[in-house]
Amino acid sequence: MTTDIDRALEQAQAQYESIKAMVERLEHARGCNAEDWDNCNLDERLADGLAGLDTFIEYHDEDDAQQAIQEDPLSVEVRSGWTTLDYTLEASEFQILLCTGGPAVRIMGELDDDFEPCRAWLEFQDWGTPWTQYIGSYMDDATKQHTLLAYCREFYFGG
Ligand SMILES: [Zn+2]
């Protein structure tokens, strides 16, 4: 039997996989100098699903890869930390809403002094349940952190 929590977890994992694919594409597009699939060192499984020169050019278009990330979330919001009355409020945390309803998934994170994301994590929620941090069990934290931060850094948070 599939419970609501299972469904929410699956949704969080699906969102993470989608983020990972977009980040991998962007990082690959930035680093690859190949002119066709034969000279591109892309993972075979992925390359198989993306055959043809047209898709090669599209996949390697850096602007396109960046735009795919920027158009992905439903909303991007910030909030400030505690600030004394004589200081101006500045963004110190962010929330990127990826999908909503039951289940909903979002990225939460913190900004450094230059308004760049420095820490990020995924949370999921189903109707009537609190937001819960998503911990994927199949990869180490460093990889997940790198992927989430690379995604979040494609957004402008101020400064
Ligand atoms: Zn390539």
Side-chain angles (χ1 to χ4, degrees), residues 28 32-34 36-37 39-42 56 59-60:
H28 182 86
C32 181
N33 295 316
D36 54 39
W37 287 120
N39 299 302
C40 168
N41 67 355
L42 203 66
F56 176 87
Y59 187 88
H60 287 73

Side-chain angles (χ1 to χ4, degrees), residues 30-149:
R30 281 181 176 152
C32 181
N33 295 316
E35 275 157 24
D36 54 39
W37 287 120
D38 292 340
N39 299 302
C40 168
N41 67 355
L42 203 66
D43 186 297
E44 257 177 52
R45 282 171 303 135
L46 183 55
D48 275 353
L50 294 167
L53 193 61
D54 284 353
T55 32
F56 176 87
I57 292 165
E58 200 184 310
Y59 187 88
H60 287 73
D61 185 328
E62 192 182 323
D63 290 343
D64 212 62
Q66 230 171 344
Q67 202 181 339
I69 291 178
Q70 286 161 355
E71 289 176 354
D72 183 50
L74 297 176
S75 69
V76 181
E77 294 169 55
V78 291
R79 67 180 177 193
S80 77
W82 291 104
T83 306
T84 53
L85 294 174
D86 50 344
Y87 274 97
T88 314
L89 294 177
E90 282 184 345
S92 69
E93 292 173 54
F94 63 89
Q95 161 179 263
I96 300 176
L97 188 63
L98 300 170
C99 64
T100 186
V105 182
R106 68 181 179 183
I107 303 174
M108 296 293 285
E110 293 166 3
L111 300 169
D112 65 17
D113 293 342
D114 299 318
F115 305 100
E116 286 287 326
C118 57
R119 211 164 80 81
W121 61 96
L122 265 182
E123 293 185 350
F124 62 91
Q125 181 197 44
D126 208 341
W127 299 116
T129 66
W131 284 102
T132 308
Q133 189 171 345
Y134 170 69
I135 318 260
S137 54
Y138 52 93
M139 72 199 115
D140 63 279
D141 272 350
T143 309
K144 200 163 48 181
Q145 192 58 198
H146 168 86
T147 302
L148 287 179
L149 284 176

Side-chain angles (χ1 to χ4, degrees), residues 4-22:
D4 288 352
I5 283 292
D6 288 341
R7 230 157 35 96
L9 266 170
E10 275 168 24
Q11 187 59 43
Q13 173 148 355
Q15 288 293 339
Y16 179 78
E17 294 298 334
S18 149
I19 287 170
K20 188 162 164 272
M22 284 187 272

